[in-house]
Amino acid sequence: MKTLTAGEAAPQFDLPNQDEKRIKLSDYAGKKVLVYFYPKALTPGCTTQACGLRDSIEQLAEANTVVFGVSPDPVKRLPKFIEKHQLNFDLLSDEDHAVAEQFGVWGLKKFMGKEYDGIHRISFLVNEQGVIEKVFDKFKTKEHHQVVLDYLNQ
């Protein structure tokens, strides 16, 4: 697994959101886009991370930044996550993990002594020109939004 790094072009994805509407990265040229990969909707760590971003959405918007959460969850699971936690950004379904693979966040994981393939919790800030500006790969789920805001406000 080779994770993309700052300075590389972001893969141009086209994924369905929670309403089965297609979301294309190219539609957001001129804005910064935070593409955050998370393992599974409605799990504790992913909920903490999503709620932090939800509560920071105004500050992110002030920094010209749009948020997309990407997971291998099927589309039908995503509306429950949004409704339960009043999420105010789109969640995208990458069921075949093709986009996760393009970003280099799909790979071997270890949990409680078991090894399996899954999504690594990594976020990418894509700049207005579609280039990865910053990779966030070292954070606690409850601090993720603050790490991103600190970077944007420096």
Side-chain angles (χ1 to χ4, degrees):
M1 179 178 100
K2 185 205 170 290
T3 304
L4 295 181
T5 56
E8 292 187 87
Q12 291 300 310
F13 58 78
D14 177 347
L15 291 171
N17 73 357
Q18 65 280 353
D19 303 317
E20 296 187 36
K21 178 182 172 223
R22 302 300 296 191
I23 301 289
K24 293 184 186 131
L25 181 59
S26 57
D27 291 343
Y28 294 86
K31 289 193 170 285
K32 289 183 188 281
V33 179
L34 180 68
V35 182
Y36 87 93
F37 290 90
Y38 66 97
K40 192 170 184 180
L42 298 161
T43 56
C46 297
T47 298
T48 298
Q49 185 176 16
C51 290
L53 289 166
R54 174 199 68 200
D55 296 345
S56 306
I57 206 76
E58 286 177 25
Q59 296 100 299
L60 290 161
E62 286 167 16
N64 194 35
T65 304
V66 179
V67 175
F68 294 121
V70 181
S71 74
D73 290 305
V75 170
K76 68 180 192 301
R77 187 176 170 92
L78 302 177
K80 291 180 197 138
F81 193 23
I82 287 183
E83 289 160 23
K84 185 169 182 181
H85 300 288
Q86 287 89 49
L87 300 182
N88 48 14
F89 53 86
D90 283 315
L91 298 177
L92 309 181
S93 173
D94 184 24
E95 264 191 282
D96 64 0
H97 48 83
V99 173
E101 288 182 35
Q102 288 178 306
F103 275 85
V105 300
W106 183 265
L108 192 64
K109 296 179 73 167
K110 291 180 183 172
F111 183 68
M112 295 174 71
K114 291 187 178 148
E115 290 189 355
Y116 61 96
D117 282 334
I119 281 200
H120 290 255
R121 193 184 300 274
I122 299 175
S123 299
F124 298 85
L125 185 65
V126 179
N127 73 12
E128 296 84 348
Q129 293 75 41
V131 174
I132 295 170
E133 179 179 321
K134 176 77 174 157
V135 178
F136 302 97
D137 57 0
K138 292 184 176 35
F139 56 83
K140 291 186 168 72
T141 54
K142 68 180 189 294
E143 297 163 357
H144 177 244
H145 65 285
Q146 195 59 55
V147 170
V148 173
L149 287 172
D150 289 350
Y151 174 79
L152 287 168
N153 294 325
Q154 65 185 0

